[in-house]
Amino acid sequence: MLANIYFSYRSFTEELICVSEAIPSELPDEYRELSATVRDFAEQVVAPVSAQHDREHSFPYEVIAAMAELGLFGLPFPEEYGGMGGDYFALCLALEELAKVDQSVAITLEAGVSLGAMPIYRFGTEEQRQRWLPSLAAGTTLGAFGLTEPDAGSDAGRTRTAARLEGSPADGEWVINGAKQFITNSGTDITAFVTVTAVTGENERGKEISTIIVPSGTPGFTVAPPYDKVGWNASDTHGLSFDDVRVPAENLLGERGRGYANFLRILDEGRIAIAALSVGAAQGCVDEAVRYAKERQAFGTHIGGHQAIAFKIARMEARAQVARRAYYHAAALMLAGKPFKREAAIAKLTAGEAAMDNARDATQVFGGNGFMNEYRVARHYRDSKILEIGEGTTEVQLMLIARGLGL
């Protein structure tokens, strides 16, 4: 087993202080070493079992445990909470490498960190951080992000799940009723909690939406059977229901009434992570197509020698490179404390489309073999469509970009 990763991180903001004008052609040593370590791990540990878990729709507990041992779940968190002392960009680099070979594993890490643990780190009290973050950063538990509902997907402001406070904010209880859907990491054996958005009253803007931590196993909290999905078959995804679920008042995460705004911040950050994952998928398709084009013979030569195939793969590489630069740029702005909402949307839009387009083209390069599940590109073809939907659809990203332009 590979040893844990420990790095002396230089500030990414210092390395990319002029990111608006130029992005360096080569990453600092710490980041390149991280990428190389995770790349080796992905090929040696993740890839050999990916097809089996995809075929069986089974959660890869042994892979997740190995990722935990490597320190991946703690990458962006301080050492005082059991983290690796890195930053969000380090997480993105790890996601990119994992997604080259298995998007299900990559999304388990992405959701576990950016959607499960990050809200606790960003908005939790010190007591909540001390209680939940060490095991989340260690990868021995997972947290989930309960936002989407049957009637509140892209329009998350239509949340209907409700919570009423019985008793005082100091020692009372929240009573929660409602339902969520499409929630990642919500039903594994190591899921510790789901943080849910719920209507907790009314304010001058309408609904008062807050976020509440609901531990797994709480009476009235039911996890539905797993979905039968097109892709991401080794990722854990469930619907959830809450029937008079009672949790302590202290389980309120962040300020009451700030839940919706806080989760929008989490989604902005998460779009950079999803963009990184998408770039990994796009690059994985390039790598597989190049390898196959050099090996496959047709009409007297390897198929990569035919201009039609060579140009198709060249376009795939161009998409991956452009998308990578987009998420690097968004990440640098975020870590520099500058506005990044529009850039995150651009990165997510560009990378998600690159992943889907490259998966389609790679499948075409493989011909009939590309339609066979034994080949990695077939899994990318099934997996990549969700990258244009999850954590904000393509249409939502276009809306955010347009708003950023003042339209």
Side-chain angles (χ1 to χ4, degrees):
M1 179 56 59
L2 297 172
N4 282 2
I5 307 171
Y6 288 97
F7 293 99
S8 175
Y9 284 94
R10 290 198 294 262
S11 169
F12 188 46
T13 58
E14 291 177 6
E15 296 294 336
L16 299 185
I17 193 67
C18 298
V19 70
S20 310
E21 294 113 22
I23 295 177
S25 59
E26 188 171 288
L27 290 172
D29 289 345
E30 292 88 346
Y31 294 114
R32 289 192 294 105
E33 291 168 5
L34 169 64
S35 291
T37 299
V38 180
R39 188 179 310 125
D40 288 344
F41 175 85
E43 289 293 346
Q44 295 171 20
V45 179
V46 181
V49 297
S50 291
Q52 178 182 349
H53 283 296
D54 176 75
R55 183 172 58 252
E56 297 176 353
H57 293 216
S58 54
F59 190 74
Y61 286 102
E62 78 285 8
V63 173
I64 302 308
M67 289 165 59
E69 185 177 341
L70 198 60
L72 299 187
F73 287 92
L75 278 173
F77 301 115
E79 293 181 16
E80 64 184 289
Y81 298 117
M84 303 297 290
D87 57 27
Y88 206 86
F89 185 65
L91 170 67
C92 289
L93 292 177
L95 290 170
E96 180 180 343
E97 295 301 332
L98 291 170
K100 289 179 182 178
V101 303
D102 191 328
Q103 292 186 44
S104 288
V105 165
I107 194 59
T108 299
L109 175 63
E110 191 277 336
V113 176
S114 71
L115 300 182
M118 195 59 71
I120 303 292
Y121 177 62
R122 295 280 189 227
F123 310 119
T125 64
E126 185 60 25
E127 182 179 354
Q128 289 170 338
R129 290 176 179 176
Q130 293 291 346
R131 177 181 177 184
W132 299 110
L133 277 181
S135 63
L136 294 170
T140 55
T141 64
L142 293 171
F145 176 96
L147 176 65
T148 304
E149 297 185 1
D151 294 318
S154 297
D155 186 7
R158 294 185 64 196
T159 296
R160 293 186 179 181
T161 296
R164 70 179 188 275
L165 182 62
E166 291 189 354
S168 72
D171 56 9
E173 288 184 319
W174 291 106
V175 183
I176 306 169
N177 286 279
K180 302 291 180 177
Q181 68 177 9
F182 310 145
I183 309 304
T184 305
N185 292 346
S186 58
T188 74
D189 293 344
I190 58 174
T191 299
F193 64 86
V194 177
T195 301
V196 301
T197 51
V199 178
T200 53
E202 299 285 333
N203 56 31
E204 64 277 6
R205 296 183 300 275
K207 291 180 180 178
E208 175 192 87
I209 298 178
S210 306
T211 51
I212 301 170
I213 302 169
V214 180
S216 298
T218 302
F221 173 26
T222 302
V223 179
Y227 292 103
D228 183 10
K229 298 173 292 187
V230 170
W232 285 4
N233 288 328
S235 168
D236 178 81
T237 319
H238 299 265
L240 310 174
S241 63
F242 305 87
D243 184 9
D244 284 338
V245 172
R246 292 178 173 270
V247 298
E250 65 187 24
N251 281 27
L252 179 71
L253 179 62
E255 181 182 343
R256 178 170 176 169
R258 290 288 301 170
Y260 185 55
N262 289 346
F263 266 131
L264 288 180
R265 162 74 190 210
I266 291 297
L267 285 174
D268 286 338
E269 295 180 359
R271 284 170 183 143
I272 301 174
I274 287 292
L277 189 158
S278 301
V279 168
Q283 190 66 57
C285 288
V286 174
D287 297 345
E288 289 296 298
V290 168
R291 179 190 59 76
Y292 189 79
K294 290 178 178 180
E295 296 174 353
R296 177 72 171 178
Q297 296 286 318
F299 304 105
T301 185
H302 59 84
I303 63 173
H306 299 294
Q307 193 175 76
I309 299 297
F311 280 11
K312 187 181 291 292
I313 298 174
R315 286 189 180 278
M316 292 168 60
E317 174 68 6
R319 292 185 196 117
Q321 290 281 359
V322 170
R324 182 177 292 108
R325 294 289 168 156
Y327 98 70
Y328 278 20
H329 180 54
L333 291 175
M334 183 189 83
L335 295 179
K338 298 179 181 179
F340 67 94
K341 179 185 288 287
R342 182 180 64 179
E343 286 72 19
I346 291 171
K348 205 274 184 181
L349 170 72
T350 304
E353 291 186 341
M356 190 68 245
D357 289 344
N358 279 13
R360 183 188 62 248
D361 284 351
T363 301
Q364 193 71 21
V365 169
F366 273 66
N369 285 331
F371 203 60
M372 301 296 115
N373 280 324
E374 66 184 277
Y375 289 92
R376 194 178 291 174
V377 295
R379 192 163 67 248
H380 276 308
Y381 188 78
R382 290 185 284 106
D383 287 347
S384 293
K385 181 57 191 173
I386 191 61
L387 298 171
E388 297 181 311
I389 299 173
E391 293 200 35
T393 63
T394 293
E395 291 73 22
V396 167
Q397 307 316 309
L398 291 169
M399 178 184 69
L400 293 172
I401 296 165
R403 286 179 181 174
L405 295 171
L407 298 175

